[in-house]
Amino acid sequence: MKTKLATMAVAAVMAAGPVMADLVFPSLSYRTGPYAAGGIPFADGYADYFTLLNERDGGIGGVMTKVPECETGYNTEKGVECYEATKGEGALVYQPLSTGITYQLIPKVTADGIPLHTMGYGRTSAANGKVFSNVFNYPANYWNGASVAINHILDTNGGDIKGKKVALVYHNSAYGKEPIRTLEELSAKHGYELTLLAVDHPGQEQKSQWLQIRRERPDYVIMYGWGVMNQVAIQEAANIRFPMENFIGIWWSGAEHDVTPAGDAANGYKSVTFHAVGDDFPIFDDIKTHVVDKGLAAGAGDQVGTVVYNRGMYAAMLAAEAARKAQEIHGTAQITAAMMRDGMEALEITEERMTELGMPNFGPSFAVSCENHGGPGLGAITQWDASAKEWSMISDFVESDMDVILPLITEDSEAFAAENGIEMRCN
Amino acid sequence: MFYREAGDYKTSYQDDGQTFPIKFDRYRYYFVLFVAFAMVPFLINDYWVSAIFLPFLIYSIAAIGLNILVGYCGQVSLGTGGFMAVGAYACYKFMTGLDIWIDGVQYALPPINIFFSVILAGVVTAIVGVLFGLPSLRIKGFYLAVATLAAQFFLVWLFNKWSWAYNYSASGQISAPEREIFGVAITGPSTEAWATYLFCLVITTICAVVARNLTRGASGRKWMAIRDMDIAAEIIGVNPLKAKLSAFAVSSFYIGIAGALFFAVYLGAVEVGEAFGIQKSFIVLFMVIIGGLGSIFGSFAGAAFLVLLPVLLKLMLADSTDEISGFASVMGWIFLAGFAASVVMLLINIVRTRSLIAGSGIYWIFASLATFMAYALSIGGMGWPTDIVAHLQLVIVGALIIIFLIAEPHGLAQLWRVAKEKLRLWPFPH
């Protein structure tokens, strides 16, 4: 009798088996506040991609994924609370979608050994992997964006923009101030005049900035805006009849919700991007069958295929691929944050892999290395067609001016290393 | 029965004038200090510290500071965020080594110990506060509120524009480098939970004790005289210039310390527009209003309320868990039944009395809220969408402010006072 009980107990334990913990990808989202217009589609895209992996493939490498969502409202205090609340759940990577929260998390994640992926935002000099061990900002950063915009202006002017006037309308925060140094360097190189126009948080009040633009008549306006600021700026530009094809936003200022309020007047507005736009990819059929039709879509489910949704999905894809790489390197499906970091550092995105995933030509192919956490820094230009109500790519992914950007990255990151006593890695 | 003056003999003037004349109060105070200093540091982790204790302690200092100005001296201020920014940037300059440029030559102080940096940040803010307090000698009420509002916007603009203040960093962010006291890291990424907690607790305790004694003493009486009627105060010999400016100085000193701790210890990196905007001024003002104007305890209560409420709502409504233990689910069912019963009783009461709050309505409202909270917490959260919870939180905080302004303008502190008064007479009704 006794042995029987014992075997039963053993059998019960065996049946229960080792409990497979989920792979946790926390989403520090913001669905409220003045930046919700961009926060909602990104969070939806991020969550939907992992739902798709769970439903279609049974997770990553056989382990289910989990995306706990925590509302930050683009607020740094809530961002810290969310980070502390979720890091105990075995978080693999953080993507806060806020430059302010990124600055806060950089020292914390480095101390806690969790990777941070700030795709196209955050601290640009984190691209230097020698200094920032746990921070990644591939495939492109703010300075690449600024350079791609200037390159586009160069192209349209046959390579000579000496004496042209370029105005930068920027969100008066760490985010908006990021491109200033790069644009100044480029201005010295190409000989254009740069005017700086700061817009304060949240950005609903821009009358004086646009009055100045109307008075000074710059040839081009570059915008680093986010949230409600974008719509207001595009509306103001339309009000002063600024030619839209000379108005170029960074990737955070180029989504459907930014241009639709201005209606037809926004026709021709341009934006930089580092991934493809539109929903003409096989993956969207999968998302429809496995996620939307099953009623599992995050949020209201009405964002599929919009620009920022695609970006959230792209971020999730890169995270999932890095997790897969980490599983491959360490030979275990149950990866930890430290293994995830190794996976991100060894990540290689090829054209074949993207085609396999149903996202052909969705972004550039690139490889991350120990020194370079910033990727290739390619960007393309998209343009808004107000009558068709869609964004279309008007250029290929082109290179940014790395001769200017790399020294800036090295300088800024080495200053950070000296300030914080960080030893260089990758030697 | 326990809570009374009778039998607690005072044989000296010092005894008679002490802060807590009632024995029970005194022991409760020692007990709270004992728990805060000797027990909490062993029990907390990173989450508790950075989600609850640090914001609570730091906002308490800010609320005490604003309470001195608004609650004790009657000078309305909407510049709290700006003054916190002064404290934060001053602390940053002191802790990284203050540099001064004269004729293109840089003279730099060595970095100052973090504790003294925080205190010096308070001193700098006090000076700035006095400057912006000067208009209060001429204008009152709404007009003064607008003048302090100007301080708020001016200071935020200044710290965005003045690159010396953020050591010429390209992004305009300031980040606290690692600083230690007695070899224990207080700022920077690799701090221990207990160290930052104790550092803030010590400063908060000193601040609160000093504030309590200031407001009990001559200067506090002068402030209150000015608040109640400034002309009458002047007639009985209170110098309005000294009284008003000293209130601005002390208040800004506290707010500056709060700003310094907020930046250096709590967040570690801030950006002036985002961290010290007008919302910060409002939230500290709400703490003072909900907590109670003219009360040190009220400042703590208000800060606790506004720090804890969002966290509690998030735990109750937004979180969710897959594995619920049997015990928790049984408790959940019990509380759910209790909730249903309270709602039914509330409805019966409404039908009977034709009023929401008549009869025992109020009690059933509280009972249904309490059982719902218990239910939500015992099953690990309702798992509602995060945006709905965030909006609900705004609604609840707004509603509470209105309710407090109508039902109890003196805030939580007055509820506490009433409760103590009842206790003193208990078990007799009169």
Side-chain angles (χ1 to χ4, degrees):
Chain A
M1 191 63 201
K2 234 178 186 174
T3 47
K4 201 174 175 189
L5 263 179
T7 38
M8 270 170 73
V10 168
V13 170
M14 297 279 277
V19 182
M20 294 282 265
D22 293 335
L23 298 176
V24 181
F25 297 89
S27 167
L28 306 192
S29 65
Y30 37 98
R31 296 174 180 275
T32 62
Y35 304 95
I40 292 170
F42 191 91
D44 285 356
Y46 199 70
D48 282 356
Y49 187 78
F50 286 112
T51 314
L52 173 70
L53 290 185
N54 283 350
E55 293 295 313
R56 190 189 59 190
D57 315 336
I60 303 170
V63 189
M64 293 298 251
T65 64
K66 194 169 104 181
V67 185
E69 206 166 311
C70 188
E71 170 76 29
T72 68
Y74 204 70
N75 174 309
T76 43
E77 285 166 67
K78 285 197 200 143
V80 171
E81 200 257 340
C82 281
Y83 171 74
E84 297 291 349
T86 48
K87 82 174 182 193
E89 293 177 31
L92 292 179
V93 59
Y94 279 92
Q95 308 214 18
L97 195 65
S98 150
T99 297
I101 297 176
T102 303
Y103 269 85
Q104 220 120 84
L105 292 188
I106 285 174
K108 285 187 205 285
V109 292
T110 313
D112 292 334
I114 303 172
L116 180 70
H117 184 198
T118 59
M119 188 180 72
Y121 59 93
R123 184 173 191 137
T124 302
S125 60
N128 187 355
K130 288 182 179 177
V131 175
F132 295 91
S133 57
N134 284 46
V135 190
F136 299 83
N137 56 6
Y138 53 79
N141 58 49
Y142 287 141
W143 299 350
N144 301 134
S147 169
V148 167
I150 292 294
N151 282 352
H152 177 70
I153 298 176
L154 276 170
D155 284 349
T156 47
N157 283 285
D160 180 27
I161 52 172
K162 204 158 263 155
K164 295 265 181 201
K165 284 196 258 180
V166 177
L168 172 69
V169 176
Y170 65 98
H171 191 262
N172 203 357
S173 65
Y175 153 49
K177 286 175 188 164
E178 280 274 346
I180 294 177
R181 279 291 303 283
T182 313
L183 288 174
E184 280 170 355
E185 296 279 324
L186 288 170
S187 137
K189 185 171 174 182
H190 299 297
Y192 60 83
E193 271 176 57
L194 182 67
T195 319
L196 301 177
L197 296 165
V199 175
D200 279 318
H201 159 91
Q204 276 146 319
E205 184 47 58
Q206 302 182 26
K207 278 272 183 281
S208 68
Q209 286 85 353
W210 287 94
L211 188 68
Q212 201 175 337
I213 288 175
R214 194 169 154 184
R215 214 166 41 218
E216 295 185 0
R217 302 189 171 283
D219 299 289
Y220 294 92
V221 174
I222 295 176
M223 174 160 72
Y224 271 58
W226 185 225
V228 73
M229 173 182 165
N230 293 337
Q231 316 171 358
V232 176
I234 291 166
Q235 185 64 56
E236 291 284 352
N239 292 351
I240 66 163
R241 302 213 161 77
F242 188 85
M244 280 297 167
E245 60 277 7
N246 294 345
F247 188 8
I248 306 170
I250 185 65
W251 35 72
W252 302 114
S253 307
E256 286 80 359
H257 51 81
D258 298 326
V259 282
T260 38
D264 288 342
N267 191 35
Y269 172 75
K270 287 172 182 168
S271 161
V272 184
T273 184
F274 53 85
H275 59 80
V277 291
D279 56 1
D280 195 14
F281 293 93
I283 186 153
F284 287 106
D285 302 333
D286 282 357
I287 286 189
K288 191 166 178 341
T289 38
H290 294 286
V291 182
V292 179
D293 289 351
K294 286 189 191 169
L296 296 171
D302 56 353
Q303 302 286 342
V304 180
T306 64
V307 174
V308 184
Y309 180 95
N310 282 11
R311 193 163 302 148
M313 194 182 77
Y314 187 50
M317 185 275 276
L318 294 180
E321 289 307 299
R324 203 159 288 170
K325 190 86 194 171
Q327 289 173 336
E328 201 180 286
I329 296 173
H330 290 276
T332 167
Q334 288 288 328
I335 55 168
T336 62
M339 295 177 188
M340 179 72 183
R341 198 207 71 82
D342 296 342
M344 291 175 79
E345 202 157 70
L347 179 67
E348 197 176 349
I349 298 290
T350 58
E351 194 47 55
E352 297 87 67
R353 183 61 190 150
M354 279 192 293
T355 313
E356 242 173 75
L357 293 167
M359 301 161 92
N361 284 317
F362 197 84
S365 49
F366 64 92
V368 187
S369 68
C370 180
E371 296 85 12
N372 183 359
H373 283 189
L378 304 182
I381 302 287
T382 59
Q383 191 167 28
W384 175 246
D385 182 344
S387 51
K389 291 210 181 304
E390 63 179 20
W391 288 95
S392 49
M393 299 258 253
I394 57 167
S395 83
D396 289 331
F397 288 105
V398 292
E399 297 227 347
S400 51
D401 197 339
M402 278 301 184
D403 296 343
V404 171
I405 295 170
L406 273 181
L408 288 177
I409 288 178
T410 315
E411 186 192 330
D412 191 67
S413 55
E414 280 174 359
F416 180 84
E419 221 173 86
N420 293 278
I422 296 172
E423 275 188 40
M424 298 284 173
R425 303 162 59 242
C426 320
N427 296 319
Chain B
M1 196 162 21
F2 306 108
Y3 190 80
R4 60 180 181 191
E5 291 96 334
D8 189 5
Y9 300 110
K10 313 283 192 320
T11 50
S12 67
Y13 284 113
Q14 275 82 8
D15 280 355
D16 204 36
Q18 60 189 327
T19 301
F20 296 107
I22 296 174
K23 208 183 214 166
F24 184 85
D25 256 348
R26 209 153 51 230
Y27 286 119
R28 177 187 51 80
Y29 169 65
Y30 294 142
F31 177 71
V32 169
L33 281 187
F34 173 76
V35 170
F37 275 97
M39 288 170 70
V40 174
F42 295 102
L43 302 174
I44 47 179
N45 58 18
D46 278 353
Y47 177 73
W48 279 89
V49 159
S50 50
I52 293 170
F53 281 105
L54 286 190
F56 163 62
L57 292 171
I58 293 167
Y59 276 120
S60 297
I61 302 178
I64 292 173
L66 190 65
N67 220 335
I68 287 176
L69 193 60
V70 180
Y72 284 99
C73 197
Q75 311 295 309
V76 186
S77 167
L78 289 174
T80 317
F83 294 133
M84 283 177 81
V86 175
Y89 279 78
C91 179
Y92 175 66
K93 288 305 281 188
F94 286 123
M95 70 194 284
T96 55
L98 187 72
D99 57 325
I100 300 165
W101 297 77
I102 301 171
D103 285 337
V105 186
Q106 185 190 18
Y107 302 93
L109 287 177
I112 299 171
N113 179 293
I114 177 68
F115 181 79
F116 295 107
S117 297
V118 170
I119 302 296
L120 281 173
V123 174
V124 171
T125 317
I127 296 169
V128 175
V130 168
L131 280 181
F132 283 99
L134 286 175
S136 72
L137 302 175
R138 279 295 180 87
I139 51 180
K140 281 190 262 185
F142 288 126
Y143 303 97
L144 181 63
V146 172
T148 53
L149 198 61
Q152 163 73 46
F153 286 112
F154 168 72
L155 289 168
V156 167
W157 172 84
L158 179 75
F159 291 119
N160 245 324
K161 198 81 188 167
W162 189 24
S163 47
W164 178 82
Y166 46 83
N167 283 359
Y168 312 100
S169 81
S171 57
Q173 283 261 359
I174 52 173
S175 310
E178 187 163 309
R179 292 288 179 264
E180 300 171 342
I181 289 181
F182 308 126
V184 181
I186 298 295
T187 64
S190 43
T191 49
E192 297 286 336
W194 62 267
T196 51
Y197 166 75
L198 274 183
F199 182 70
C200 288
L201 182 67
V202 166
I203 293 184
T204 310
T205 313
I206 297 173
C207 283
V209 170
V210 170
R212 172 77 194 173
N213 285 304
L214 271 180
T215 52
R216 271 160 22 105
S219 48
R221 280 166 205 284
K222 284 179 192 160
W223 294 336
M224 286 187 268
I226 291 281
R227 171 191 67 189
D228 293 340
M229 193 173 179
D230 52 352
I231 294 177
E234 210 173 340
I235 290 170
I236 60 168
V238 175
N239 182 343
L241 181 126
K242 276 188 192 160
K244 284 181 180 176
L245 291 189
S246 65
F248 264 99
V250 173
S251 154
S252 309
F253 179 76
Y254 278 56
I255 292 170
I257 285 184
L261 292 175
F262 189 82
F263 150 67
V265 182
Y266 173 38
L267 288 184
V270 297
E271 185 180 327
V272 63
E274 203 272 328
F276 300 117
I278 183 79
Q279 329 82 285
K280 195 104 309 157
S281 300
F282 281 126
I283 199 154
V284 179
L285 193 63
F286 292 160
M287 284 172 185
V288 171
I289 290 173
I290 289 185
L293 288 163
S295 159
I296 302 297
F297 168 78
S299 310
F300 280 102
F305 195 79
L306 282 189
V307 167
L308 287 178
L309 186 71
V311 176
L312 186 68
L313 282 176
K314 199 186 120 204
L315 287 181
M316 270 170 53
L317 303 177
D319 282 6
S320 63
T321 170
D322 303 328
E323 310 97 36
I324 305 169
S325 68
F327 176 70
S329 75
V330 170
M331 292 306 283
W333 282 109
I334 292 173
F335 287 126
L336 189 61
F339 173 62
S342 331
V343 170
V344 168
M345 291 305 289
L346 179 63
L347 288 176
I348 292 174
N349 191 57
I350 290 173
V351 172
R352 258 201 210 141
T353 62
R354 308 278 163 101
S355 156
L356 187 63
I357 51 173
S360 47
I362 275 272
Y363 299 109
W364 291 120
I365 292 176
F366 273 114
S368 43
L369 282 178
T371 44
F372 179 73
M373 265 172 65
Y375 165 67
L377 289 176
S378 59
I379 63 160
M382 306 292 291
W384 291 355
T386 51
D387 50 341
I388 291 182
V389 176
H391 287 135
L392 206 60
Q393 183 195 319
L394 293 176
V395 172
I396 291 174
V397 171
L400 279 170
I401 288 169
I402 296 173
I403 290 171
F404 267 105
L405 284 176
I406 295 172
E408 187 50 273
H410 292 103
L412 293 169
Q414 180 64 16
L415 295 180
W416 178 242
R417 245 174 255 139
V418 169
K420 286 206 292 194
E421 212 49 49
K422 292 230 157 119
L423 261 181
R424 205 176 266 171
L425 295 175
W426 190 79
F428 305 109
H430 298 293

mmCIF file of all heavy atoms in Angstrom, chain A residues 86-99:
data_model
loop_
_atom_site.group_PDB
_atom_site.id
_atom_site.type_symbol
_atom_site.label_atom_id
_atom_site.label_comp_id
_atom_site.label_asym_id
_atom_site.label_seq_id
_atom_site.Cartn_x
_atom_site.Cartn_y
_atom_site.Cartn_z
ATOM 1 N N THR A 86 7.304 45.022 -13.066
ATOM 2 C CA THR A 86 7.344 43.908 -14.008
ATOM 3 C C THR A 86 8.683 43.180 -14.025
ATOM 4 O O THR A 86 8.742 42.069 -14.519
ATOM 5 C CB THR A 86 7.041 44.398 -15.443
ATOM 6 O OG1 THR A 86 7.830 45.555 -15.699
ATOM 7 C CG2 THR A 86 5.583 44.738 -15.606
ATOM 8 N N LYS A 87 9.741 43.794 -13.490
ATOM 9 C CA LYS A 87 11.042 43.150 -13.674
ATOM 10 C C LYS A 87 11.139 41.848 -12.894
ATOM 11 O O LYS A 87 11.894 40.960 -13.284
ATOM 12 C CB LYS A 87 12.178 44.109 -13.295
ATOM 13 C CG LYS A 87 12.490 44.198 -11.830
ATOM 14 C CD LYS A 87 13.711 45.051 -11.582
ATOM 15 C CE LYS A 87 14.040 45.079 -10.106
ATOM 16 N NZ LYS A 87 14.996 46.111 -9.747
ATOM 17 N N GLY A 88 10.342 41.720 -11.831
ATOM 18 C CA GLY A 88 10.369 40.494 -11.044
ATOM 19 C C GLY A 88 9.711 39.315 -11.746
ATOM 20 O O GLY A 88 9.895 38.176 -11.360
ATOM 21 N N GLU A 89 8.940 39.573 -12.787
ATOM 22 C CA GLU A 89 8.227 38.498 -13.473
ATOM 23 C C GLU A 89 9.104 37.779 -14.487
ATOM 24 O O GLU A 89 8.605 36.978 -15.271
ATOM 25 C CB GLU A 89 7.003 39.060 -14.213
ATOM 26 C CG GLU A 89 5.929 39.586 -13.297
ATOM 27 C CD GLU A 89 4.772 40.204 -14.074
ATOM 28 O OE1 GLU A 89 4.496 39.736 -15.197
ATOM 29 O OE2 GLU A 89 4.173 41.155 -13.577
ATOM 30 N N GLY A 90 10.399 38.125 -14.526
ATOM 31 C CA GLY A 90 11.280 37.486 -15.490
ATOM 32 C C GLY A 90 11.308 38.211 -16.824
ATOM 33 O O GLY A 90 11.408 37.594 -17.880
ATOM 34 N N ALA A 91 11.197 39.532 -16.774
ATOM 35 C CA ALA A 91 11.167 40.330 -17.997
ATOM 36 C C ALA A 91 12.435 40.116 -18.805
ATOM 37 O O ALA A 91 13.535 40.104 -18.261
ATOM 38 C CB ALA A 91 11.027 41.804 -17.648
ATOM 39 N N LEU A 92 12.277 39.920 -20.120
ATOM 40 C CA LEU A 92 13.431 39.647 -20.976
ATOM 41 C C LEU A 92 13.982 40.915 -21.599
ATOM 42 O O LEU A 92 15.189 41.049 -21.773
ATOM 43 C CB LEU A 92 13.036 38.668 -22.082
ATOM 44 C CG LEU A 92 12.726 37.264 -21.601
ATOM 45 C CD1 LEU A 92 12.320 36.399 -22.769
ATOM 46 C CD2 LEU A 92 13.922 36.657 -20.895
ATOM 47 N N VAL A 93 13.111 41.835 -21.996
ATOM 48 C CA VAL A 93 13.586 43.050 -22.640
ATOM 49 C C VAL A 93 12.547 44.143 -22.430
ATOM 50 O O VAL A 93 11.339 43.868 -22.389
ATOM 51 C CB VAL A 93 13.867 42.812 -24.150
ATOM 52 C CG1 VAL A 93 12.630 42.340 -24.869
ATOM 53 C CG2 VAL A 93 14.410 44.056 -24.815
ATOM 54 N N TYR A 94 13.029 45.374 -22.259
ATOM 55 C CA TYR A 94 12.116 46.497 -22.093
ATOM 56 C C TYR A 94 12.141 47.388 -23.317
ATOM 57 O O TYR A 94 13.206 47.641 -23.878
ATOM 58 C CB TYR A 94 12.487 47.317 -20.855
ATOM 59 C CG TYR A 94 11.968 46.693 -19.598
ATOM 60 C CD1 TYR A 94 12.735 45.803 -18.873
ATOM 61 C CD2 TYR A 94 10.688 46.970 -19.164
ATOM 62 C CE1 TYR A 94 12.250 45.204 -17.732
ATOM 63 C CE2 TYR A 94 10.183 46.380 -18.035
ATOM 64 C CZ TYR A 94 10.964 45.493 -17.318
ATOM 65 O OH TYR A 94 10.464 44.902 -16.197
ATOM 66 N N GLN A 95 10.973 47.865 -23.728
ATOM 67 C CA GLN A 95 10.851 48.807 -24.831
ATOM 68 C C GLN A 95 9.888 49.898 -24.389
ATOM 69 O O GLN A 95 8.696 49.802 -24.625
ATOM 70 C CB GLN A 95 10.294 48.108 -26.073
ATOM 71 C CG GLN A 95 11.065 46.858 -26.441
ATOM 72 C CD GLN A 95 11.113 46.644 -27.938
ATOM 73 O OE1 GLN A 95 10.881 47.553 -28.716
ATOM 74 N NE2 GLN A 95 11.442 45.444 -28.347
ATOM 75 N N PRO A 96 10.380 50.959 -23.724
ATOM 76 C CA PRO A 96 9.451 51.904 -23.104
ATOM 77 C C PRO A 96 8.789 52.891 -24.064
ATOM 78 O O PRO A 96 7.842 53.544 -23.676
ATOM 79 C CB PRO A 96 10.331 52.647 -22.104
ATOM 80 C CG PRO A 96 11.706 52.530 -22.636
ATOM 81 C CD PRO A 96 11.779 51.263 -23.404
ATOM 82 N N LEU A 97 9.270 53.005 -25.283
ATOM 83 C CA LEU A 97 8.717 53.959 -26.263
ATOM 84 C C LEU A 97 8.648 55.372 -25.688
ATOM 85 O O LEU A 97 7.675 56.087 -25.873
ATOM 86 C CB LEU A 97 7.336 53.513 -26.750
ATOM 87 C CG LEU A 97 6.830 54.217 -28.014
ATOM 88 C CD1 LEU A 97 7.699 53.885 -29.180
ATOM 89 C CD2 LEU A 97 5.401 53.861 -28.320
ATOM 90 N N SER A 98 9.676 55.753 -24.947
ATOM 91 C CA SER A 98 9.725 57.105 -24.411
ATOM 92 C C SER A 98 11.184 57.407 -24.116
ATOM 93 O O SER A 98 11.850 56.641 -23.432
ATOM 94 C CB SER A 98 8.906 57.197 -23.132
ATOM 95 O OG SER A 98 9.453 58.167 -22.275
ATOM 96 N N THR A 99 11.660 58.510 -24.674
ATOM 97 C CA THR A 99 13.064 58.832 -24.459
ATOM 98 C C THR A 99 13.327 59.186 -22.995
ATOM 99 O O THR A 99 14.346 58.818 -22.431
ATOM 100 C CB THR A 99 13.464 59.979 -25.398
ATOM 101 O OG1 THR A 99 13.313 59.524 -26.734
ATOM 102 C CG2 THR A 99 14.895 60.400 -25.181
#
